[in-house]
Amino acid sequence: AIPFARWLKVAHPNPQGIVIVGAHGWAREIASALQEEGLTVRLVDMNWDHISAARMAGLKTFYGSALSEYTLENIELEGIGRLLAMTHNDEVNSLACLNFSEVFGRSQVFQLPFMEENVSERKEDSPIGRSLFGSDNHFARLERAFEGGASVRRTNLTEEFDPQDFRDMHLEKAIPLFLVTEAKQLLIFSQDSTPEPRAGHTLISLVPEEKDASTPSRAV
């Protein structure tokens, strides 16, 4: 099955789709934003309520453990080339990245950075995947942001509304998550990669709750 999955990658030399490990509420928001941009997205979770809610939202899912050989052998990966591990459990995220690196390669698996309380306890450990959304945006911080009213927004950048306009509008409090180019190439913000937004790109970001403000961003 693993060679077959690799063959699928060969059949799609530059697959832009993603597997997201974790189908909780804000993972579904992120998945919806990516799907709205025409990208293939599949959510993996062992929580049936999360899976059911994702399906009700029109998202493709796989019910099972991202750590199991069964999942690796049976999940549909056509058009998918990356993994984002976004559960609340740092160890699960690391092991999911280790499991799927067999298919996607180490450079194409990402995970949320370790939560602050775990860093000192696990000095000898390091994340398996690349640090998703930067070094400070761990699960608890993102969870607090969503609980405080933040939402995932898709913003079309133009010559008239450029990246600096976006930063000025949101007082640089927005957290950039992804860029989607005009050719529908997905660029992921991570600790070791900061894509440069420009006119023609769609910026997907986490934007704090706004009051009495207008924006060309489209909330998911």
Side-chain angles (χ1 to χ4, degrees):
I2 290 175
F4 179 68
R6 288 176 177 150
W7 177 85
L8 286 176
K9 279 200 70 182
V10 173
H12 299 265
N14 189 24
Q16 296 300 299
I18 61 170
V19 171
I20 295 178
V21 181
H24 47 82
W26 54 264
R28 298 195 297 270
E29 284 195 46
I30 291 173
S32 293
L34 293 169
Q35 186 168 280
E36 286 292 325
E37 291 299 321
L39 297 162
T40 301
V41 183
R42 186 155 280 100
L43 291 158
V44 178
D45 205 310
M46 292 187 66
N47 184 310
W48 181 250
D49 290 338
H50 291 170
I51 290 292
S52 297
R55 292 177 180 176
M56 289 292 291
L59 297 165
K60 294 182 178 180
T61 66
F62 187 90
Y63 177 54
S65 169
L67 312 186
S68 74
E69 196 71 17
Y70 175 84
T71 297
L72 207 60
E73 291 175 355
N74 289 279
I75 188 171
E76 184 181 346
L77 294 175
E78 185 172 2
I80 293 175
R82 292 171 230 178
L83 174 119
L84 310 182
M86 300 197 301
T87 78
H88 70 281
N89 188 309
D90 292 333
E91 185 175 4
V92 167
N93 291 340
S94 289
L95 291 174
C97 285
L98 182 63
N99 198 28
F100 276 83
S101 66
E102 297 181 23
V103 178
F104 301 142
R106 189 71 174 265
S107 67
Q108 300 302 322
V109 293
F110 299 77
Q111 69 184 95
L112 294 176
F114 286 168
M115 285 186 275
E116 294 167 349
E117 60 269 25
N118 293 340
V119 172
S120 59
E121 297 175 3
R122 304 175 62 179
K123 289 181 180 178
E124 297 180 359
D125 295 338
S126 60
I128 300 297
R130 296 166 65 184
S131 189
L132 187 60
F133 310 144
S135 61
D136 299 324
N137 295 312
H138 49 73
F139 184 94
R141 183 181 182 190
L142 295 176
E143 183 94 332
R144 288 193 297 268
F146 279 98
E147 289 175 351
S151 59
V152 178
R153 302 262 181 134
R154 308 191 326 274
T155 304
N156 295 326
L157 300 174
T158 65
E159 297 293 345
E160 293 74 27
F161 189 82
D162 62 19
Q164 187 58 52
D165 293 323
F166 178 86
R167 286 190 288 268
D168 292 343
M169 172 167 285
H170 298 294
L171 303 176
E172 300 194 1
K173 292 182 179 179
I175 299 173
L177 308 176
F178 310 96
L179 281 177
V180 182
T181 70
E182 294 168 295
K184 293 301 180 182
Q185 180 182 7
L186 179 66
L187 306 177
I188 301 173
F189 284 85
S190 64
Q191 184 177 1
D192 61 2
S193 178
T194 306
E196 186 63 35
R198 63 173 183 264
H201 288 173
T202 297
L203 175 63
I204 300 176
S205 55
L206 178 61
V207 178
E209 184 179 18
E210 298 172 359
K211 297 179 180 179
D212 301 322
S214 60
T215 173
S217 302
R218 294 168 288 156
V220 174

mmCIF file of all heavy atoms in Angstrom, residues 1-12 15 69 71-81 99-105:
data_model
loop_
_atom_site.group_PDB
_atom_site.id
_atom_site.type_symbol
_atom_site.label_atom_id
_atom_site.label_comp_id
_atom_site.label_asym_id
_atom_site.label_seq_id
_atom_site.Cartn_x
_atom_site.Cartn_y
_atom_site.Cartn_z
ATOM 1 N N ALA A 1 0.820 -1.212 0.000
ATOM 2 C CA ALA A 1 0.000 0.000 0.000
ATOM 3 C C ALA A 1 0.850 1.256 0.000
ATOM 4 O O ALA A 1 0.514 2.232 -0.658
ATOM 5 C CB ALA A 1 -0.926 0.000 1.213
ATOM 6 N N ILE A 2 1.952 1.246 0.764
ATOM 7 C CA ILE A 2 2.796 2.442 0.804
ATOM 8 C C ILE A 2 3.437 2.708 -0.549
ATOM 9 O O ILE A 2 3.402 3.847 -1.038
ATOM 10 C CB ILE A 2 3.836 2.324 1.931
ATOM 11 C CG1 ILE A 2 3.129 2.417 3.280
ATOM 12 C CG2 ILE A 2 4.888 3.414 1.809
ATOM 13 C CD1 ILE A 2 4.035 2.182 4.462
ATOM 14 N N PRO A 3 3.996 1.695 -1.240
ATOM 15 C CA PRO A 3 4.485 1.959 -2.602
ATOM 16 C C PRO A 3 3.382 2.470 -3.520
ATOM 17 O O PRO A 3 3.634 3.319 -4.381
ATOM 18 C CB PRO A 3 5.011 0.590 -3.051
ATOM 19 C CG PRO A 3 5.385 -0.091 -1.790
ATOM 20 C CD PRO A 3 4.355 0.342 -0.789
ATOM 21 N N PHE A 4 2.160 1.951 -3.361
ATOM 22 C CA PHE A 4 1.059 2.420 -4.187
ATOM 23 C C PHE A 4 0.772 3.890 -3.911
ATOM 24 O O PHE A 4 0.532 4.679 -4.832
ATOM 25 C CB PHE A 4 -0.190 1.587 -3.898
ATOM 26 C CG PHE A 4 -1.398 2.025 -4.689
ATOM 27 C CD1 PHE A 4 -1.448 1.861 -6.059
ATOM 28 C CD2 PHE A 4 -2.478 2.611 -4.053
ATOM 29 C CE1 PHE A 4 -2.559 2.269 -6.782
ATOM 30 C CE2 PHE A 4 -3.588 3.022 -4.756
ATOM 31 C CZ PHE A 4 -3.632 2.846 -6.138
ATOM 32 N N ALA A 5 0.790 4.276 -2.638
ATOM 33 C CA ALA A 5 0.579 5.681 -2.287
ATOM 34 C C ALA A 5 1.667 6.542 -2.905
ATOM 35 O O ALA A 5 1.411 7.645 -3.384
ATOM 36 C CB ALA A 5 0.552 5.854 -0.775
ATOM 37 N N ARG A 6 2.894 6.028 -2.884
ATOM 38 C CA ARG A 6 3.980 6.778 -3.506
ATOM 39 C C ARG A 6 3.763 6.888 -5.014
ATOM 40 O O ARG A 6 4.078 7.900 -5.626
ATOM 41 C CB ARG A 6 5.312 6.101 -3.200
ATOM 42 C CG ARG A 6 5.732 6.284 -1.738
ATOM 43 C CD ARG A 6 7.000 5.534 -1.428
ATOM 44 N NE ARG A 6 7.408 5.770 -0.058
ATOM 45 C CZ ARG A 6 8.070 4.907 0.688
ATOM 46 N NH1 ARG A 6 8.405 3.743 0.194
ATOM 47 N NH2 ARG A 6 8.408 5.203 1.920
ATOM 48 N N TRP A 7 3.223 5.828 -5.612
ATOM 49 C CA TRP A 7 2.921 5.877 -7.038
ATOM 50 C C TRP A 7 1.899 6.972 -7.336
ATOM 51 O O TRP A 7 1.994 7.668 -8.355
ATOM 52 C CB TRP A 7 2.389 4.525 -7.508
ATOM 53 C CG TRP A 7 1.999 4.555 -8.965
ATOM 54 C CD1 TRP A 7 2.800 4.374 -10.040
ATOM 55 C CD2 TRP A 7 0.687 4.821 -9.484
ATOM 56 N NE1 TRP A 7 2.075 4.518 -11.195
ATOM 57 C CE2 TRP A 7 0.780 4.793 -10.880
ATOM 58 C CE3 TRP A 7 -0.552 5.089 -8.896
ATOM 59 C CZ2 TRP A 7 -0.320 5.001 -11.708
ATOM 60 C CZ3 TRP A 7 -1.633 5.316 -9.706
ATOM 61 C CH2 TRP A 7 -1.526 5.258 -11.101
ATOM 62 N N LEU A 8 0.930 7.139 -6.435
ATOM 63 C CA LEU A 8 -0.044 8.206 -6.623
ATOM 64 C C LEU A 8 0.645 9.566 -6.646
ATOM 65 O O LEU A 8 0.257 10.461 -7.386
ATOM 66 C CB LEU A 8 -1.099 8.172 -5.511
ATOM 67 C CG LEU A 8 -2.123 7.049 -5.598
ATOM 68 C CD1 LEU A 8 -3.034 7.074 -4.386
ATOM 69 C CD2 LEU A 8 -2.937 7.154 -6.871
ATOM 70 N N LYS A 9 1.664 9.730 -5.808
ATOM 71 C CA LYS A 9 2.400 10.986 -5.826
ATOM 72 C C LYS A 9 3.119 11.183 -7.148
ATOM 73 O O LYS A 9 3.183 12.282 -7.677
ATOM 74 C CB LYS A 9 3.424 11.029 -4.680
ATOM 75 C CG LYS A 9 2.851 11.406 -3.344
ATOM 76 C CD LYS A 9 3.932 11.893 -2.395
ATOM 77 C CE LYS A 9 4.439 13.235 -2.854
ATOM 78 N NZ LYS A 9 5.530 13.742 -1.993
ATOM 79 N N VAL A 10 3.650 10.097 -7.702
ATOM 80 C CA VAL A 10 4.307 10.193 -8.998
ATOM 81 C C VAL A 10 3.298 10.571 -10.070
ATOM 82 O O VAL A 10 3.589 11.345 -10.990
ATOM 83 C CB VAL A 10 5.002 8.855 -9.352
ATOM 84 C CG1 VAL A 10 5.539 8.879 -10.772
ATOM 85 C CG2 VAL A 10 6.136 8.582 -8.370
ATOM 86 N N ALA A 11 2.093 10.013 -9.933
ATOM 87 C CA ALA A 11 1.048 10.330 -10.910
ATOM 88 C C ALA A 11 0.647 11.797 -10.837
ATOM 89 O O ALA A 11 0.143 12.361 -11.795
ATOM 90 C CB ALA A 11 -0.170 9.438 -10.665
ATOM 91 N N HIS A 12 0.865 12.409 -9.693
ATOM 92 C CA HIS A 12 0.597 13.834 -9.504
ATOM 93 C C HIS A 12 1.912 14.460 -9.051
ATOM 94 O O HIS A 12 2.212 14.513 -7.863
ATOM 95 C CB HIS A 12 -0.495 14.048 -8.450
ATOM 96 C CG HIS A 12 -1.803 13.439 -8.820
ATOM 97 N ND1 HIS A 12 -2.810 14.133 -9.438
ATOM 98 C CD2 HIS A 12 -2.262 12.167 -8.677
ATOM 99 C CE1 HIS A 12 -3.852 13.334 -9.653
ATOM 100 N NE2 HIS A 12 -3.529 12.134 -9.198
ATOM 101 N N PRO A 15 1.434 17.444 -6.093
ATOM 102 C CA PRO A 15 0.110 17.444 -5.456
ATOM 103 C C PRO A 15 0.000 18.530 -4.400
ATOM 104 O O PRO A 15 0.854 18.646 -3.531
ATOM 105 C CB PRO A 15 0.019 16.043 -4.841
ATOM 106 C CG PRO A 15 1.438 15.636 -4.616
ATOM 107 C CD PRO A 15 2.224 16.259 -5.719
ATOM 108 N N GLU A 69 -1.286 1.719 10.676
ATOM 109 C CA GLU A 69 -0.957 1.241 9.333
ATOM 110 C C GLU A 69 -2.222 1.117 8.494
ATOM 111 O O GLU A 69 -2.212 1.351 7.287
ATOM 112 C CB GLU A 69 -0.239 -0.103 9.423
ATOM 113 C CG GLU A 69 0.489 -0.512 8.163
ATOM 114 C CD GLU A 69 1.730 0.326 7.904
ATOM 115 O OE1 GLU A 69 2.211 0.990 8.841
ATOM 116 O OE2 GLU A 69 2.200 0.323 6.759
ATOM 117 N N THR A 71 -4.847 3.031 8.485
ATOM 118 C CA THR A 71 -5.181 4.331 7.893
ATOM 119 C C THR A 71 -4.270 4.632 6.725
ATOM 120 O O THR A 71 -4.732 5.065 5.647
ATOM 121 C CB THR A 71 -5.067 5.438 8.957
ATOM 122 O OG1 THR A 71 -6.027 5.197 9.985
ATOM 123 C CG2 THR A 71 -5.325 6.808 8.356
ATOM 124 N N LEU A 72 -2.993 4.409 6.881
ATOM 125 C CA LEU A 72 -2.035 4.682 5.815
ATOM 126 C C LEU A 72 -2.340 3.843 4.578
ATOM 127 O O LEU A 72 -2.141 4.292 3.450
ATOM 128 C CB LEU A 72 -0.618 4.402 6.313
ATOM 129 C CG LEU A 72 0.518 5.169 5.649
ATOM 130 C CD1 LEU A 72 0.351 6.671 5.826
ATOM 131 C CD2 LEU A 72 1.851 4.725 6.229
ATOM 132 N N GLU A 73 -2.851 2.632 4.783
ATOM 133 C CA GLU A 73 -3.128 1.738 3.668
ATOM 134 C C GLU A 73 -4.459 2.033 2.992
ATOM 135 O O GLU A 73 -4.642 1.711 1.817
ATOM 136 C CB GLU A 73 -3.133 0.285 4.159
ATOM 137 C CG GLU A 73 -1.762 -0.232 4.570
ATOM 138 C CD GLU A 73 -1.828 -1.623 5.171
ATOM 139 O OE1 GLU A 73 -2.962 -2.137 5.351
ATOM 140 O OE2 GLU A 73 -0.767 -2.193 5.459
ATOM 141 N N ASN A 74 -5.389 2.658 3.716
ATOM 142 C CA ASN A 74 -6.753 2.770 3.192
ATOM 143 C C ASN A 74 -7.217 4.194 2.886
ATOM 144 O O ASN A 74 -8.196 4.363 2.168
ATOM 145 C CB ASN A 74 -7.736 2.123 4.175
ATOM 146 C CG ASN A 74 -7.611 0.621 4.198
ATOM 147 O OD1 ASN A 74 -8.156 -0.078 3.336
ATOM 148 N ND2 ASN A 74 -6.879 0.101 5.170
ATOM 149 N N ILE A 75 -6.548 5.195 3.412
ATOM 150 C CA ILE A 75 -6.984 6.560 3.136
ATOM 151 C C ILE A 75 -6.698 6.916 1.681
ATOM 152 O O ILE A 75 -5.668 6.532 1.126
ATOM 153 C CB ILE A 75 -6.290 7.556 4.094
ATOM 154 C CG1 ILE A 75 -6.888 8.950 3.940
ATOM 155 C CG2 ILE A 75 -4.774 7.568 3.881
ATOM 156 C CD1 ILE A 75 -6.396 9.930 4.993
ATOM 157 N N GLU A 76 -7.631 7.607 1.064
ATOM 158 C CA GLU A 76 -7.460 8.022 -0.334
ATOM 159 C C GLU A 76 -6.514 9.223 -0.383
ATOM 160 O O GLU A 76 -6.780 10.263 0.222
ATOM 161 C CB GLU A 76 -8.809 8.390 -0.943
ATOM 162 C CG GLU A 76 -8.719 8.740 -2.418
ATOM 163 C CD GLU A 76 -10.070 9.126 -3.000
ATOM 164 O OE1 GLU A 76 -11.101 8.872 -2.336
ATOM 165 O OE2 GLU A 76 -10.092 9.698 -4.098
ATOM 166 N N LEU A 77 -5.420 9.073 -1.108
ATOM 167 C CA LEU A 77 -4.393 10.118 -1.140
ATOM 168 C C LEU A 77 -4.202 10.737 -2.526
ATOM 169 O O LEU A 77 -3.261 11.502 -2.717
ATOM 170 C CB LEU A 77 -3.056 9.550 -0.656
ATOM 171 C CG LEU A 77 -2.988 9.129 0.813
ATOM 172 C CD1 LEU A 77 -1.643 8.480 1.118
ATOM 173 C CD2 LEU A 77 -3.231 10.315 1.738
ATOM 174 N N GLU A 78 -5.064 10.422 -3.447
ATOM 175 C CA GLU A 78 -4.896 10.967 -4.788
ATOM 176 C C GLU A 78 -4.953 12.498 -4.749
ATOM 177 O O GLU A 78 -5.882 13.096 -4.210
ATOM 178 C CB GLU A 78 -5.967 10.444 -5.735
ATOM 179 C CG GLU A 78 -5.764 10.900 -7.168
ATOM 180 C CD GLU A 78 -6.719 10.226 -8.127
ATOM 181 O OE1 GLU A 78 -7.564 9.426 -7.667
ATOM 182 O OE2 GLU A 78 -6.625 10.510 -9.332
ATOM 183 N N GLY A 79 -3.944 13.136 -5.306
ATOM 184 C CA GLY A 79 -3.893 14.597 -5.339
ATOM 185 C C GLY A 79 -3.438 15.230 -4.045
ATOM 186 O O GLY A 79 -3.441 16.456 -3.925
ATOM 187 N N ILE A 80 -3.031 14.414 -3.064
ATOM 188 C CA ILE A 80 -2.620 14.927 -1.754
ATOM 189 C C ILE A 80 -1.122 14.698 -1.574
ATOM 190 O O ILE A 80 -0.618 13.611 -1.858
ATOM 191 C CB ILE A 80 -3.413 14.247 -0.622
ATOM 192 C CG1 ILE A 80 -4.887 14.657 -0.704
ATOM 193 C CG2 ILE A 80 -2.843 14.596 0.745
ATOM 194 C CD1 ILE A 80 -5.786 13.969 0.293
ATOM 195 N N GLY A 81 -0.432 15.723 -1.093
ATOM 196 C CA GLY A 81 1.010 15.614 -0.961
ATOM 197 C C GLY A 81 1.587 16.071 0.359
ATOM 198 O O GLY A 81 2.809 16.041 0.536
ATOM 199 N N ASN A 99 4.517 8.715 10.725
ATOM 200 C CA ASN A 99 3.800 7.715 9.942
ATOM 201 C C ASN A 99 3.645 8.151 8.486
ATOM 202 O O ASN A 99 3.954 7.405 7.554
ATOM 203 C CB ASN A 99 2.428 7.460 10.571
ATOM 204 C CG ASN A 99 1.790 6.153 10.120
ATOM 205 O OD1 ASN A 99 2.479 5.205 9.770
ATOM 206 N ND2 ASN A 99 0.473 6.105 10.143
ATOM 207 N N PHE A 100 3.202 9.380 8.271
ATOM 208 C CA PHE A 100 2.917 9.843 6.914
ATOM 209 C C PHE A 100 4.171 10.299 6.170
ATOM 210 O O PHE A 100 4.121 10.488 4.957
ATOM 211 C CB PHE A 100 1.868 10.951 6.946
ATOM 212 C CG PHE A 100 0.463 10.441 6.994
ATOM 213 C CD1 PHE A 100 -0.110 10.071 8.202
ATOM 214 C CD2 PHE A 100 -0.290 10.304 5.837
ATOM 215 C CE1 PHE A 100 -1.405 9.581 8.262
ATOM 216 C CE2 PHE A 100 -1.588 9.822 5.871
ATOM 217 C CZ PHE A 100 -2.149 9.451 7.086
ATOM 218 N N SER A 101 5.270 10.472 6.883
ATOM 219 C CA SER A 101 6.506 10.822 6.177
ATOM 220 C C SER A 101 6.951 9.679 5.271
ATOM 221 O O SER A 101 7.701 9.891 4.314
ATOM 222 C CB SER A 101 7.621 11.169 7.177
ATOM 223 O OG SER A 101 8.000 10.033 7.945
ATOM 224 N N GLU A 102 6.470 8.465 5.542
ATOM 225 C CA GLU A 102 6.773 7.335 4.675
ATOM 226 C C GLU A 102 6.191 7.539 3.285
ATOM 227 O O GLU A 102 6.712 7.006 2.306
ATOM 228 C CB GLU A 102 6.221 6.043 5.279
ATOM 229 C CG GLU A 102 6.827 5.654 6.611
ATOM 230 C CD GLU A 102 6.246 4.350 7.136
ATOM 231 O OE1 GLU A 102 5.738 3.565 6.315
ATOM 232 O OE2 GLU A 102 6.300 4.131 8.348
ATOM 233 N N VAL A 103 5.113 8.296 3.198
ATOM 234 C CA VAL A 103 4.447 8.538 1.920
ATOM 235 C C VAL A 103 4.858 9.882 1.320
ATOM 236 O O VAL A 103 5.227 9.967 0.147
ATOM 237 C CB VAL A 103 2.913 8.498 2.090
ATOM 238 C CG1 VAL A 103 2.210 8.803 0.767
ATOM 239 C CG2 VAL A 103 2.479 7.142 2.616
ATOM 240 N N PHE A 104 4.798 10.931 2.142
ATOM 241 C CA PHE A 104 5.005 12.274 1.624
ATOM 242 C C PHE A 104 6.453 12.737 1.666
ATOM 243 O O PHE A 104 6.818 13.681 0.966
ATOM 244 C CB PHE A 104 4.145 13.276 2.404
ATOM 245 C CG PHE A 104 2.671 13.007 2.348
ATOM 246 C CD1 PHE A 104 1.863 13.203 3.453
ATOM 247 C CD2 PHE A 104 2.076 12.559 1.181
ATOM 248 C CE1 PHE A 104 0.506 12.960 3.409
ATOM 249 C CE2 PHE A 104 0.714 12.306 1.116
ATOM 250 C CZ PHE A 104 -0.075 12.507 2.230
ATOM 251 N N GLY A 105 7.263 12.127 2.512
ATOM 252 C CA GLY A 105 8.616 12.615 2.741
ATOM 253 C C GLY A 105 8.639 13.556 3.935
ATOM 254 O O GLY A 105 7.646 14.212 4.255
#
